[in-house]
Amino acid sequence: MKRKICALMLALGLTAAVTGPAAAAAFTDVPSGAWYAEAAAAVSDGGIMNGTTTTTFSPDGQVTRGMVAAVLWRMAGSPAPKGGSSFADVEAWYFYADAVAWAEENGIAAGRSDGSFGGGDIVTREQLAVFLYRYSQYAGEELANGVLDIYSDVDSVHAWAREGMAHAVGAGLITGRDNGELDPSGPATRAQLAVILQRLMTPAVG
């Protein structure tokens, strides 16, 4: 019983990203002139990313692995997975259960070293870049090869994330901060994710 209660509390915390859709104008914590306001509207109206409540978007909230799997799954049209995932810590009733199963089947998401998925783990900017890289491979999109050496903290990008980060930078999905750093180990925020998803939703011109 204690395990079920803990699991329920975890799932309730993680489902903050899937509260029913709301018009962007209804988000009281998204100022109209914010750099992410248009993106928040686009992903909300498109049913890709929802508010944390019916009136809040929580732009500064941190992104989790379960959340990334869910939004990429929705970007792909919410395809039905062939079966459940292999991760023991992903209950069938979690909001991201089908998304994780789909992501695992298509090589977009892998588990942790202990065989769990860690849906509540916070996602760093370089981890998000890898997710995006694998999603682009799945979608058959042309892969980019951006230049990372222009960023002062390029050496902070882990070797396993270099290819993914180069793609994300080259495709214009992830950009450096105002101080000229990529901040690869910094946590990705919901505002950043919304902007990235809007860029994915916007066809390239030229």
Side-chain angles (χ1 to χ4, degrees):
M1 178 62 71
K2 183 177 180 181
R3 179 178 177 275
K4 290 184 177 180
I5 292 175
C6 290
L8 177 59
M9 292 177 66
L10 171 64
L12 288 175
L14 295 177
T15 53
V18 292
T19 300
F27 292 135
T28 58
D29 57 351
V30 178
S32 60
W35 58 271
Y36 54 83
E38 183 179 340
V43 297
S44 176
D45 293 344
I48 304 299
M49 188 176 177
N50 304 318
T52 51
T53 72
T54 56
T55 59
T56 58
F57 187 75
S58 301
D60 295 325
Q62 296 178 336
V63 176
T64 64
R65 285 171 56 82
M67 193 186 304
V68 173
V71 297
L72 293 180
W73 177 63
R74 293 173 193 149
M75 284 286 297
S78 303
K82 297 176 182 177
S85 74
S86 66
F87 307 117
D89 64 333
V90 178
E91 301 278 357
W93 47 273
Y94 283 10
F95 80 88
Y96 54 77
D98 282 349
V100 170
W102 163 82
E104 182 183 20
E105 289 174 3
N106 291 283
I108 297 170
R112 300 185 297 192
S113 59
D114 63 358
S116 62
F117 179 70
D121 290 356
I122 301 303
V123 171
T124 65
R125 286 164 57 85
E126 66 180 355
Q127 289 170 346
L128 179 57
V130 173
F131 272 112
L132 297 170
Y133 175 69
R134 292 173 180 167
Y135 176 81
S136 293
Q137 288 180 309
Y138 157 81
E141 299 172 353
E142 183 176 353
L143 300 177
N145 188 22
V147 179
L148 302 183
D149 291 341
I150 62 175
Y151 298 101
S152 59
D153 60 345
V154 61
D155 291 336
S156 297
V157 180
H158 287 90
W160 52 263
R162 289 243 171 181
E163 199 169 28
M165 185 64 85
H167 165 70
V169 168
L173 301 177
I174 290 180
T175 58
R177 296 189 180 281
D178 293 339
N179 60 2
E181 295 182 347
L182 275 174
D183 189 21
S185 296
T189 67
R190 287 173 53 83
Q192 292 169 357
L193 180 60
V195 171
I196 288 170
L197 294 174
Q198 183 190 34
R199 291 168 179 166
L200 279 174
M201 294 166 61
T202 305
V205 178

